[in-house]
Amino acid sequence: AQHIVPGQRSGVIASDPATLEKTLNPDEKKLVQEGLAWLGFYKGWFDGAFKEGTRTALSSWQRQNGVTATGELDADQAVTLAGTALAMRDKTGWQPLSDSRSGITISYPSKVLTKRSDSEAGGVTLDDPDGGASLMTMRFTDVTDGQINSFYDALSGSGESEITYEFRRNNLFIVTGNRKGGKFYS
């Protein structure tokens, strides 16, 4: 059996989609998901697991590109999607943001979100110069589940926002969407 080290190319290019996907290491699979996300087809975690969300995104992308929508990846598609992810990382200045105030690390487009300030919510706010996009981290201490639920509901259910993606797990949540002519990620 071949041992694949994370971050190392598998070195095997298979023509059969099922075989190809087995030869991709987790980092390569994450790049495929990231490429789908950059192109607007995938709204999930870049976890390298090709589950229903990834399969649906692949099918939609394949359909848009005039190929049979199988939801399975061939070698050319893997290279195209991973290449898209790497090119967009470079174009947008994708880099990690380690926020000591909130205690999180998240990647963000540093060439787009160039204005940085401390947020009143114990984190950091990053904005683009035109105010069309922002990212805000927050940290709350000594709060109850009810308070977290209320805050999540306020962000995701306010009439001011059009929510395009929501994720919730225990005391972590992500809400993205459009608000007042701009995009937000909280």
Side-chain angles (χ1 to χ4, degrees):
Q2 180 182 10
H3 178 69
I4 299 173
V5 177
Q8 174 187 358
R9 291 260 331 129
S10 60
V12 177
I13 300 294
S15 57
D16 174 51
T19 304
L20 169 73
E21 289 182 11
K22 289 178 186 172
T23 64
L24 296 176
N25 70 41
D27 291 333
E28 291 166 331
K29 289 180 177 180
K30 289 175 187 177
L31 278 175
V32 167
Q33 290 172 319
E34 186 180 334
L36 288 165
W38 280 110
L39 295 169
F41 293 95
Y42 182 68
K43 294 182 180 180
W45 294 102
F46 305 156
D47 58 7
F50 284 9
K51 296 179 185 169
E52 183 181 347
T54 304
R55 299 287 176 204
T56 300
L58 273 169
S59 292
S60 297
W61 177 77
Q62 288 166 332
R63 238 184 327 279
Q64 183 172 314
N65 286 280
V67 297
T68 304
T70 63
E72 294 181 344
L73 198 59
D74 71 24
D76 289 339
Q77 294 167 0
V79 169
T80 297
L81 289 167
T84 297
L86 293 171
M88 290 304 292
R89 281 183 183 186
D90 185 53
K91 180 179 178 179
T92 62
W94 204 250
Q95 69 178 26
L97 164 70
S98 293
D99 178 11
S100 61
R101 295 183 75 213
S102 67
I104 67 160
T105 300
I106 187 170
S107 294
Y108 80 105
S110 66
K111 291 180 181 176
V112 176
L113 303 175
T114 57
K115 293 174 54 179
R116 180 180 176 149
S117 60
D118 289 340
S119 74
E120 295 176 12
V124 65
T125 300
L126 297 159
D127 293 297
D128 76 354
D130 299 329
S134 66
L135 179 145
M136 181 189 309
T137 64
M138 297 170 238
R139 180 175 181 89
F140 301 100
T141 56
D142 301 322
V143 295
T144 66
D145 285 343
Q147 289 170 314
I148 292 172
N149 291 340
S150 294
F151 185 63
Y152 176 79
D153 291 344
L155 277 176
S156 62
S158 75
E160 299 178 21
S161 304
E162 172 198 358
I163 305 302
T164 58
Y165 177 77
E166 296 176 82
F167 172 81
R168 175 79 193 266
R169 182 174 48 206
N170 300 325
N171 64 351
L172 165 73
F173 65 82
I174 298 170
V175 179
T176 68
N178 303 307
R179 180 183 303 135
K180 298 179 184 173
K183 297 184 182 298
F184 73 94
Y185 185 107
S186 297

